[in-house]
Amino acid sequence: MIDSATLNSFEAIVGARNTLKAGTDLDRYLHEPRNNYTGQTPMVLKPVDTDEVSRILCLASETATAIVPQGGHTGLAGGAVPNESSNQIVVSLERMNAIREIDPDGNTIIAEAGVVLQSIQDEAARHDLLFPLSLASQGSCQIGGNISTNAGGTGVLAYGNTRDLVLGLEVVLPNGEIWNGLRKLKKDNTGYSLKDLFIGAEGTLGIVTVAVLKLFPLPKSRTAVWAGLPSPDDALALFNFALARAGNSLTGFELIHRTPLEFVLRNVSGRRDPLAQRHEWYVLAEISSGRSEEDANMLAEAIFAEALNRKLIGDAVLSQNEAHRNQLWQLREEMSLAQRPEGASIKHDISVPVHRIPGFIEKANPIIHAICAEARPCIFGHMGDGNLHFNVSQPAGGDREEFLALGEIISKNIYALVVAMSGSISAEHGIGQLKRTLLATTKSKTEIAMMRAIKQAFDPQNIMNPGKLL
Amino acid sequence: MIDSATLNSFEAIVGARNTLKAGTDLDRYLHEPRNNYTGQTPMVLKPVDTDEVSRILCLASETATAIVPQGGHTGLAGGAVPNESSNQIVVSLERMNAIREIDPDGNTIIAEAGVVLQSIQDEAARHDLLFPLSLASQGSCQIGGNISTNAGGTGVLAYGNTRDLVLGLEVVLPNGEIWNGLRKLKKDNTGYSLKDLFIGAEGTLGIVTVAVLKLFPLPKSRTAVWAGLPSPDDALALFNFALARAGNSLTGFELIHRTPLEFVLRNVSGRRDPLAQRHEWYVLAEISSGRSEEDANMLAEAIFAEALNRKLIGDAVLSQNEAHRNQLWQLREEMSLAQRPEGASIKHDISVPVHRIPGFIEKANPIIHAICAEARPCIFGHMGDGNLHFNVSQPAGGDREEFLALGEIISKNIYALVVAMSGSISAEHGIGQLKRTLLATTKSKTEIAMMRAIKQAFDPQNIMNPGKLL
């Protein structure tokens, strides 16, 4: 246990009103959204600036106290939840929530770690600019967490992962030193790319406090297309066709099976099937254009009319206005929530090379059904990035616990398939606590040793988010 | 000195016919293109595969022998040149020159480190695909060197630096272990981004042996535009206007002063000024389109007609066909060579935030002229990336050595300005030997310490390219 003198010293850094102690209502700091991981902590510290974060880590380093950095509590892998020992202090970045600067000439924005993602999007939009990182949890996740998990989402196809959107970082190192890497440069070949080490490191190498982010011109027009088609093979052909025609104007390409659409139609009130007839598979694509207010629609129309002509798709509907576009995307975004009323589910956030998506699905479905004949694969995801949320819902009306007992064997087989197809066991959600053991068994010894060497070099006392990632 | 038994053991790994020894004609392995750095080596080893590279580094590790990896000898910072001690063995990757696979469905290509950049471009083009990395030295530089220096060039604006084009790497570590990170994934959040450590590490952390690279659809049309305008401020306004209109279809944006154009017109036979009247500054822009064979031209015409209308430019010519497009780019690519007949020059590969380019030029020119009133700034570069080649030619007809004696004071002042404007002292050429001292004085102690910690973690004996970068 951390002695009370040490706890008092931590408290003194941020002050009593910015310290929450065990015994008070800490609930929201102690678990992740699905309640799969719950921990304990003697206190939650809420520093207001980089200097306070630095003093916290100095003290942590001196006293070998474990620190768990925390953003918006939306991570799904338990990466921001302390363990149950009450020996880990939570540092919440929520008070470091200022947008320090927006630079419309330079297309950059500087945000503190605790800024909610949507606030950055909104601030950019007020200047006719786009911050393209977009996730279901954007109303509560924080940019520091997005950076520490290299968040993905629906904008990756054209704009990249969070890694691609970060120009510079300020990070407090485990010894309390502050690294000011707040650069706005597109080119900077001056040694090892340090920012890339911290992006996706899940708080195990230091605490990200401030970031310089890239902004883009706000498209003048965006058109969403909901298309029905018979198979993932057709979806792949459509993807390659649309990419060749639209290039970087193709800003979204989601693959959706009929099952998750049915779940939404059944479990969310007021939702309608966008197409008149039933299709086994769907693609939700988006075309964006900076040319004119009509251009996205014209380009989308040309591409999907031709796709229909070539029989790549069975039917399609184009969004007629911004409200309609949002409706189509809403169907996609509600799929995760719409799974809940269908009972237990076993989820896999995986990626394979884009063109192997159809082959993956073709092999994965029989694996599931061999283990549980009535299980319902609920497949949707960012096909354009090779990323599927390969989720499996329990048999309709079946026993919840009975199905969950199959989770280990189902996941083991799915991940084995992922590895056999040169894929990733975590495309965008990270490792956290959830996949820590899996990581060690799916990476080579050489790769694990390299990661450990980096961890050892930066955090020899293992005080930064111990028990996560490695 | 390395003893002869050890040298024999190194030779045995690759065989006598793939070993060049001191005393034979090693000249091309011992200097960089400008002859600014020359070294000595007891032998040049030419491994044919990863296994041989691994055995070389195993032996190097056991015997604490320094290794200098080498690609196409085109680097300008001395990063691939051994020192003068004769204690460093050169490992040339030139025989590892196979393109192992091109995957048109997956838009990837797998190339060994010694493949010449242009061979990759050509192989991609044969499949109607684009590998967008493009440099003046593309006919001889090798992809391993491009990766180890995170090469830039003229395609960065739309497609990113080399870093953004690498999906996966195979690397032999200093202890001879092989890291197989040959992934084809767009999303993979499974721990620290190891590939990003080796990209731009200038061979100081290991030897890159194989890479998986991203390919893109080959544009259906490309139009180059040569525009004359009064000032860098106008060029910035033009850049923002064109970017807002063309988005990612704006695939090139070079800023060029009148002086380097004059050097080309004077020193390269058969070159003509693309515009009828003299302008103080020029922009060479490129518009690419995947939509149709006419689209790039139509879009370029619309944008530059409007720019003329808004008086953002004084005049412009659009390329009428592929040969004309190549002619316009040739003017740009010959600028570096065309400086040579004008006498000595002092060169600076720098970057600042894009919108500060005009301010940088406005401040840098008076600095030069205060030191040497008749010096001729010869400014051109990748404005869209914030990257200028801020070169300074000696006074016309003046004394070469007299001017070069001013190099130190000129560079010192230019780099001080770069640092004051939050820029980079090496935008795309890297550090090598040339800027090693400069690096140490322009980075914070914290940043240098972080880099040293990484180097120490990967290469505790300092056998990988010692004397470079750090």
Side-chain angles (χ1 to χ4, degrees):
Chain A
M1 296 296 289
I2 308 170
D3 64 68
S4 61
T6 301
L7 289 176
N8 289 342
S9 300
F10 275 112
E11 180 178 340
I13 294 169
V14 298
R17 50 187 292 192
N18 300 309
T19 305
L20 300 177
K21 292 185 195 172
T24 62
D25 183 16
L26 295 184
D27 183 60
R28 66 185 289 264
Y29 297 95
L30 300 178
H31 63 86
E32 43 73 76
R34 291 192 286 207
N35 269 314
N36 289 339
Y37 295 94
T38 307
Q40 297 300 325
T41 187
M43 55 173 45
V44 176
L45 302 172
K46 301 183 184 180
V48 73
D49 59 23
T50 302
D51 182 57
E52 288 187 359
V53 176
S54 168
R55 286 157 63 202
I56 289 168
L57 290 193
C58 271
L59 182 56
S61 176
E62 284 164 26
T63 56
T65 305
I67 298 293
V68 179
Q70 218 175 65
H73 319 270
T74 64
L76 296 170
V81 179
N83 69 13
E84 293 179 342
S85 70
S86 281
N87 280 332
Q88 304 187 324
I89 290 178
V90 171
V91 174
S92 169
L93 280 296
E94 66 196 277
R95 288 175 70 227
M96 289 192 65
N97 61 357
I99 291 179
R100 290 193 180 173
E101 176 197 298
I102 181 161
D103 181 346
D105 292 328
N107 288 327
T108 55
I109 190 167
I110 304 182
E112 294 179 349
V115 178
V116 169
L117 172 55
Q118 196 167 338
S119 306
I120 298 175
Q121 297 168 343
D122 292 347
E123 182 66 15
R126 272 191 286 277
H127 292 81
D128 269 339
L129 292 166
L130 175 73
F131 184 61
L133 184 65
S134 180
L135 322 171
S137 62
Q138 62 199 27
S140 55
C141 66
Q142 296 169 11
I143 193 66
N146 297 144
I147 291 167
S148 294
T149 58
N150 185 29
T154 54
V156 174
L157 180 60
Y159 302 98
N161 292 291
T162 300
R163 182 180 306 283
D164 303 295
L165 305 174
V166 174
L167 285 171
L169 288 180
E170 179 187 82
V171 179
V172 179
L173 304 180
N175 64 5
E177 275 188 73
I178 300 165
W179 173 52
N180 182 342
L182 289 174
R183 288 157 201 154
K184 294 180 172 182
L185 303 172
K186 295 190 179 175
K187 282 185 175 175
D188 180 24
N189 279 348
T190 53
Y192 310 142
S193 183
L194 298 172
K195 76 179 162 74
D196 281 304
L197 260 188
F198 296 104
I199 298 167
E202 303 188 15
T204 62
L205 299 178
I207 297 182
V208 171
T209 45
V210 188
V212 183
L213 305 165
K214 280 186 207 172
L215 301 176
F216 297 82
L218 197 64
K220 289 200 180 61
S221 51
R222 281 185 268 196
T223 297
V225 184
W226 186 281
L229 65 188
S231 74
D233 275 317
D234 297 294
L236 179 63
L238 177 66
F239 174 67
N240 285 327
F241 173 71
L243 188 68
R245 287 292 303 275
N248 234 291
S249 294
L250 183 67
T251 51
F253 200 93
E254 304 285 311
L255 176 68
I256 299 162
H257 186 238
R258 175 75 190 175
T259 300
L261 176 62
E262 276 177 2
F263 286 1
V264 171
L265 299 178
R266 186 153 64 217
N267 301 325
V268 187
S269 67
R271 301 291 172 261
R272 292 190 328 171
D273 190 332
L275 298 177
Q277 288 192 299
R278 187 188 187 285
H279 298 265
E280 189 67 13
W281 290 90
Y282 301 94
V283 160
L284 175 56
E286 186 159 275
I287 302 284
S288 300
S289 172
R291 298 194 190 183
S292 71
E293 286 179 17
E294 302 78 32
D295 190 58
N297 201 274
M298 282 164 52
L299 182 58
E301 182 119 0
I303 290 172
F304 283 84
E306 175 72 15
L308 205 59
N309 212 24
R310 294 186 183 200
K311 301 199 187 340
L312 293 175
I313 56 174
D315 195 6
V317 60
L318 271 64
S319 64
Q320 294 308 304
N321 50 48
E322 197 61 11
H324 190 203
R325 186 177 78 86
N326 288 331
Q327 277 168 29
L328 294 177
W329 275 105
Q330 195 174 35
L331 291 174
R332 164 64 184 85
E333 276 154 15
E334 286 167 346
M335 284 173 183
S336 195
L337 276 174
Q339 262 197 285
R340 291 198 190 170
E342 300 288 334
S345 71
I346 298 159
K347 302 194 171 189
H348 312 91
D349 163 46
I350 63 93
S351 72
V352 291
V354 180
H355 64 294
R356 302 189 78 171
I357 287 274
F360 178 83
I361 294 171
E362 197 180 323
K363 286 183 178 148
N365 276 337
I367 289 175
I368 300 299
H369 292 129
I371 298 169
C372 177
E374 303 297 319
R376 294 171 295 169
C378 178
I379 305 168
F380 56 90
H382 318 295
M383 180 167 185
D385 313 319
N387 177 196
L388 284 186
H389 298 299
F390 192 85
N391 301 339
V392 188
S393 280
Q394 66 169 77
D399 184 77
R400 182 183 176 85
E401 297 308 319
E402 201 175 297
F403 179 68
L404 284 177
L406 300 173
E408 197 175 331
I409 181 80
I410 285 178
S411 294
K412 193 179 159 185
N413 278 279
I414 292 299
Y415 290 130
L417 178 62
V418 168
V419 171
M421 294 184 77
S422 307
S424 171
I425 56 156
S426 188
E428 58 176 13
H429 294 170
I431 301 299
Q433 301 180 60
L434 179 63
K435 294 180 179 174
R436 201 177 155 216
T437 311
L438 189 63
L439 183 79
T441 59
T442 52
K443 295 261 185 201
S444 69
K445 280 183 187 162
T446 301
E447 185 154 344
I448 296 287
M450 286 162 72
M451 290 194 196
R452 287 196 186 283
I454 293 166
K455 173 73 173 174
Q456 176 69 23
F458 279 77
D459 181 21
Q461 295 189 96
N462 193 25
I463 59 171
M464 282 310 309
N465 215 6
K468 316 294 164 53
L469 187 52
L470 281 173
Chain B
M1 294 298 286
I2 307 172
D3 63 67
S4 62
T6 301
L7 289 176
N8 289 341
S9 301
F10 275 113
E11 179 178 340
I13 294 170
V14 297
R17 50 189 289 193
N18 300 307
T19 304
L20 300 177
K21 293 186 195 172
T24 61
D25 183 15
L26 295 185
D27 184 59
R28 65 186 290 263
Y29 298 94
L30 300 178
H31 63 88
E32 42 73 76
R34 290 192 286 207
N35 270 316
N36 288 339
Y37 296 94
T38 307
Q40 296 300 326
T41 188
M43 54 172 49
V44 177
L45 301 173
K46 301 183 183 181
V48 73
D49 59 22
T50 303
D51 181 57
E52 287 187 359
V53 176
S54 168
R55 286 158 63 202
I56 290 168
L57 290 194
C58 269
L59 181 58
S61 176
E62 283 165 24
T63 57
T65 306
I67 299 292
V68 179
Q70 218 175 64
H73 319 268
T74 64
L76 296 170
V81 179
N83 69 13
E84 294 179 342
S85 69
S86 281
N87 280 331
Q88 303 187 324
I89 290 179
V90 170
V91 175
S92 169
L93 280 295
E94 66 195 275
R95 288 176 69 227
M96 288 191 66
N97 62 356
I99 292 180
R100 291 193 181 175
E101 176 197 299
I102 180 160
D103 181 345
D105 291 328
N107 288 328
T108 55
I109 191 166
I110 305 183
E112 294 179 349
V115 178
V116 169
L117 172 54
Q118 197 167 333
S119 305
I120 298 176
Q121 298 169 341
D122 291 347
E123 181 66 14
R126 273 191 284 277
H127 292 80
D128 268 339
L129 292 167
L130 174 75
F131 184 61
L133 184 65
S134 180
L135 322 170
S137 62
Q138 61 198 28
S140 54
C141 65
Q142 296 170 11
I143 192 66
N146 297 143
I147 291 167
S148 294
T149 57
N150 185 29
T154 53
V156 175
L157 180 60
Y159 301 98
N161 293 291
T162 300
R163 183 181 304 285
D164 303 295
L165 305 174
V166 175
L167 285 170
L169 288 181
E170 179 188 81
V171 179
V172 180
L173 304 181
N175 64 5
E177 275 188 73
I178 299 166
W179 173 52
N180 182 340
L182 288 175
R183 287 155 202 155
K184 294 180 171 182
L185 304 170
K186 294 192 179 175
K187 283 184 173 175
D188 180 25
N189 278 347
T190 53
Y192 310 143
S193 184
L194 298 173
K195 76 178 161 74
D196 281 304
L197 260 187
F198 296 104
I199 298 167
E202 303 188 12
T204 62
L205 299 178
I207 297 183
V208 172
T209 44
V210 189
V212 184
L213 305 165
K214 280 187 209 173
L215 301 177
F216 297 81
L218 197 65
K220 289 200 180 58
S221 51
R222 282 184 268 196
T223 297
V225 185
W226 186 281
L229 65 189
S231 74
D233 275 317
D234 297 295
L236 179 63
L238 177 66
F239 174 67
N240 285 326
F241 173 71
L243 188 67
R245 287 291 303 276
N248 234 289
S249 294
L250 183 67
T251 50
F253 200 95
E254 304 283 312
L255 176 68
I256 299 160
H257 186 240
R258 174 74 191 176
T259 300
L261 175 63
E262 277 176 2
F263 286 1
V264 171
L265 298 178
R266 185 153 63 217
N267 301 325
V268 187
S269 68
R271 302 291 170 260
R272 293 189 329 168
D273 190 333
L275 299 176
Q277 289 194 298
R278 187 189 188 284
H279 298 265
E280 188 67 12
W281 290 89
Y282 300 95
V283 161
L284 174 57
E286 185 159 276
I287 302 284
S288 301
S289 172
R291 298 194 191 183
S292 72
E293 286 179 17
E294 302 77 33
D295 191 58
N297 201 276
M298 284 165 52
L299 182 59
E301 182 117 2
I303 292 172
F304 284 83
E306 176 71 18
L308 205 59
N309 213 23
R310 292 186 182 201
K311 300 200 184 344
L312 292 174
I313 56 175
D315 194 5
V317 60
L318 272 63
S319 65
Q320 294 309 303
N321 50 47
E322 199 60 11
H324 190 201
R325 186 177 78 85
N326 289 332
Q327 276 169 28
L328 294 177
W329 275 105
Q330 194 174 36
L331 290 174
R332 164 64 184 85
E333 277 154 15
E334 287 168 346
M335 284 172 183
S336 196
L337 276 174
Q339 261 197 285
R340 290 197 190 169
E342 301 288 335
S345 71
I346 298 159
K347 302 195 170 189
H348 310 90
D349 164 46
I350 63 94
S351 72
V352 292
V354 179
H355 63 294
R356 302 188 79 171
I357 287 275
F360 177 83
I361 294 170
E362 199 179 321
K363 285 182 179 152
N365 275 337
I367 289 175
I368 300 298
H369 292 130
I371 298 169
C372 176
E374 303 299 319
R376 294 170 295 168
C378 178
I379 305 169
F380 56 91
H382 318 296
M383 181 168 185
D385 313 319
N387 177 195
L388 283 186
H389 299 298
F390 192 86
N391 302 338
V392 188
S393 281
Q394 67 170 74
D399 183 77
R400 183 183 174 86
E401 297 308 319
E402 200 176 297
F403 178 68
L404 284 176
L406 299 173
E408 197 174 332
I409 181 80
I410 285 178
S411 295
K412 191 178 160 187
N413 278 278
I414 291 299
Y415 290 130
L417 178 62
V418 168
V419 170
M421 294 184 81
S422 307
S424 171
I425 56 155
S426 186
E428 58 177 14
H429 294 172
I431 301 300
Q433 301 181 59
L434 179 64
K435 294 180 178 173
R436 200 175 155 219
T437 311
L438 189 63
L439 184 80
T441 58
T442 52
K443 295 262 184 201
S444 69
K445 280 184 187 162
T446 301
E447 186 155 342
I448 294 287
M450 286 162 71
M451 289 194 198
R452 288 197 185 282
I454 293 166
K455 172 74 172 173
Q456 175 70 22
F458 279 76
D459 181 21
Q461 295 189 97
N462 192 25
I463 59 171
M464 283 309 311
N465 215 5
K468 315 294 164 53
L469 188 52
L470 282 173

